[in-house]
Amino acid sequence: MVKKIFLIIGLMLGSVIGVSAQHIEKQRIDAQIDSVLNSLTLREKIAQLVIVAINSKNSPERKAQQDTLVSMEGIGGLIVMDDNLARSMDRANELQKMAKVPLLMTIDGEWGPSMRYDEFPNYPRQMQLGALSSDTLIYKMGRAIGQECLSVKIQVNFAPTIDINNNPDNPVIHVRSFGEDKEKVANYGVAYMKGMQDVGLYTSAKHFPGHGDTNVDSHKGLPVLTFDRERLDSLELYPFRKLIDEGVAMVMMAHLSIPSLDETGTPSSISKPIVTGLLREELGYNGIIITDALGMKGVSTLMSPEKVTLEAYKAGVDILLMPNSEVKSIAYLEEAFNRGELSVDELDAKVRKMLRMKAESGMLEPDYCRYVDTTKLEEKTNLIEHHALIEEMSKKSLTLVKNDGVLPLKNLSKTKIAYLGYKYDNS
């Protein structure tokens, strides 16, 4: 009996100590955030919400603009594009050196860093993963991709895509989706998201409120969804509700015109009824809301770049991804604050979300090293266990769609077989 009492007391003390440690850690993180926030000017706070694309092959003129955005404006983050890994990291290191506050590093790596860097192993795309019989391997893939991103100091992956692949004429989603079954899309999306987040990578569910049933690529034009609210609730919004319930860090807004959600037809990324009314209030999402790239033609052809940026902010987004005319856009927002059109308290709340990602990733620690050692990239990109996982996923996702008596192959002993391997190294 005495042993049981001591055990119960021990468990209670352990629980209290655990809660106390969490409280102390939260206070420490909050103090870091407050310290940085209080050091920023109004314009620097606005700039912290902006993420800009970089590539080592950018022109000297564009690199000079990036230098200014980091050193003078104080933008919050970078998104890496298709590039050579070492050169990309060298460029990121250059910009990190100029930054007053460490830059959040992000990637659009739906099938891992290999989507942007050939040096990393190439994971299957989501359509192939939809052929797996369970989400176990997808969770493991999420962990592996998270480890790869973090190994080169990338803190955010704009994945998973949880659009439902229910339109065969869709020019932009197709292989990026887990399939046409909303349950599978939701469950596999949760597994992928949890795998990444469990190793410390931030994720983003996209493209809200659902880009699957469109026949227009929002990079090139504005898709229009004519479905009623009941249809959207039952299908497109289903996976987003699931990932929100499971704690997804970020939701990315698509550029879609949806009259049943906003009768004006305003693109969803700059629509207050959709960003704030639907996502924030109706679905109760309290995490980070980010736009899709604001330079995409689904929104950029409607008004000036700085107006697009302001409208996205006013709609309720927290982070502005790849706006055009960045300096003008930051200045335009600053003017709106100076006119009293926008609330500084609301701005501070948005900046805190950006800074919290940095603090929780250790980036605001005094001894944090913001640079990637480009002399040791091989050991980060060529992990045997990740190649083994890819092979297992590939084997278990093989699907026989049709067989006209060809399989199984027979009488091969005297048959010559040729094999063509794409990107195969036989050295």
Side-chain angles (χ1 to χ4, degrees):
M1 182 65 180
V2 173
K3 288 183 178 179
K4 288 183 178 179
I5 292 173
F6 277 122
L7 177 61
I8 292 170
I9 293 173
L11 290 172
M12 291 173 65
L13 284 173
S15 176
V16 170
I17 291 170
V19 171
S20 177
Q22 289 176 4
H23 180 66
I24 292 171
E25 176 64 10
K26 182 180 182 303
Q27 285 185 319
R28 192 177 69 84
I29 293 292
D30 287 344
Q32 289 180 342
I33 293 169
D34 288 342
S35 176
V36 174
L37 183 67
N38 293 334
S39 74
L40 301 176
T41 66
L42 172 63
R43 190 173 178 114
E44 287 172 335
K45 289 177 182 180
I46 296 167
Q48 274 294 304
L49 307 183
V50 175
I51 292 178
V52 171
I54 63 163
N55 188 295
S56 67
K57 298 186 287 290
N58 288 141
S59 68
E61 293 78 15
R62 181 54 184 161
K63 286 184 177 179
Q65 291 172 350
Q66 294 163 353
D67 293 350
T68 297
L69 287 166
V70 171
S71 63
M72 302 298 289
E73 298 292 346
I75 59 168
L78 306 173
I79 177 172
V80 296
M81 307 306 285
D82 299 6
D83 208 345
N84 170 272
L85 180 60
R87 290 195 295 269
S88 177
M89 293 298 107
D90 282 338
R91 178 58 180 152
N93 287 344
E94 289 175 358
L95 292 167
Q96 288 284 19
K97 190 174 183 179
M98 301 175 194
K100 175 181 175 180
V101 181
L103 293 156
L104 189 77
M105 296 299 298
T106 74
I107 190 171
D108 185 7
E110 295 172 18
W111 49 93
S114 63
M115 185 171 171
R116 303 300 169 189
Y117 300 122
D118 287 341
E119 293 85 351
F120 281 98
N122 198 1
Y123 292 86
R125 301 193 186 188
Q126 291 185 199
M127 179 181 282
Q128 181 178 345
L129 297 176
L132 291 170
S133 59
S134 79
D135 60 18
T136 304
L137 291 177
I138 295 173
Y139 174 80
K140 291 181 178 179
M141 181 191 77
R143 290 184 65 90
I145 286 173
Q147 291 161 357
E148 290 174 1
C149 288
L150 293 170
S151 74
V152 289
K153 299 186 184 294
I154 292 172
Q155 293 87 24
V156 179
N157 185 12
F158 296 124
T161 298
I162 52 172
D163 301 310
I164 298 170
N165 191 30
N166 51 5
N167 187 333
D169 295 324
N170 192 311
V172 67
I173 300 302
H174 43 81
V175 298
R176 301 164 66 191
S177 168
F178 287 114
E180 68 278 5
D181 181 339
K182 68 178 184 180
E183 291 285 354
K184 176 174 284 188
V185 169
N187 293 337
Y188 284 22
V190 166
Y192 186 13
M193 176 266 290
K194 282 191 171 182
M196 289 187 283
Q197 290 192 176
D198 282 355
V199 297
L201 189 73
Y202 287 88
T203 66
S204 178
K206 62 184 186 185
H207 305 80
F208 188 87
H211 203 320
D213 198 352
T214 65
N215 58 9
V216 174
D217 179 353
S218 55
H219 291 85
K220 302 176 181 179
L222 179 62
V224 179
L225 274 64
T226 58
F227 317 120
D228 60 25
R229 177 62 192 268
E230 183 179 0
R231 148 68 192 261
L232 292 165
D233 276 335
S234 66
L235 194 60
E236 276 78 13
L237 294 176
Y238 183 83
F240 288 98
R241 284 195 173 94
K242 282 271 192 175
L243 268 75
I244 288 170
D245 288 344
E246 294 291 342
V248 69
M250 193 180 299
V251 172
M252 178 180 285
M253 298 300 305
H255 308 307
L256 304 169
S257 175
I258 314 171
S260 63
L261 299 179
D262 183 343
E263 61 184 11
T264 67
T266 300
S268 47
S269 54
I270 60 173
S271 164
K272 190 165 186 176
I274 297 177
V275 177
T276 297
L278 175 59
L279 180 54
R280 189 69 82 197
E281 296 174 354
E282 286 193 47
L283 301 190
Y285 181 62
N286 295 317
I288 299 165
I289 302 177
I290 185 170
T291 65
D292 205 342
L294 290 174
M296 293 166 59
K297 291 184 179 178
V299 68
S300 66
T301 58
L302 303 180
M303 58 192 78
S304 68
E306 54 269 32
K307 179 70 171 174
V308 168
T309 305
L310 176 61
E311 291 304 307
Y313 183 94
K314 289 167 66 176
V317 304
D318 299 303
I319 297 180
L320 304 157
L321 181 62
M322 299 168 63
N324 287 336
S325 303
E326 299 99 340
V327 173
K328 284 185 178 180
S329 294
I330 293 168
Y332 198 69
L333 274 167
E334 185 181 29
E335 291 168 7
F337 279 100
N338 290 335
R339 292 193 301 269
E341 187 178 330
L342 302 174
S343 160
V344 175
D345 287 343
E346 184 179 11
L347 173 64
D348 285 352
K350 294 178 187 294
V351 178
R352 284 179 186 278
K353 291 180 180 181
M354 169 63 87
L355 295 177
R356 186 166 298 280
M357 285 192 287
K358 296 181 180 185
E360 291 178 347
S361 298
M363 299 171 69
L364 302 186
E365 297 290 341
D367 59 350
Y368 175 75
C369 177
R370 59 181 79 177
Y371 311 114
V372 177
D373 184 349
T374 56
T375 67
K376 297 181 179 180
L377 293 176
E378 175 69 19
E379 61 191 51
K380 304 176 189 296
T381 61
N382 195 26
L383 298 177
I384 295 173
E385 59 268 32
H386 291 189
H387 286 284
L389 174 61
I390 291 169
E391 183 175 357
E392 184 180 4
M393 297 174 80
S394 299
K395 287 180 178 178
K396 290 187 175 180
S397 61
L398 281 174
T399 303
L400 179 61
V401 177
K402 183 179 181 181
N403 184 16
D404 292 328
V406 176
L407 298 176
L409 298 173
K410 299 176 182 178
N411 303 319
L412 298 178
S413 59
K414 296 182 180 180
T415 301
K416 293 182 179 180
I417 299 174
Y419 171 77
L420 176 64
Y422 177 63
K423 290 187 177 180
Y424 178 67
D425 181 6
N426 63 355
S427 58

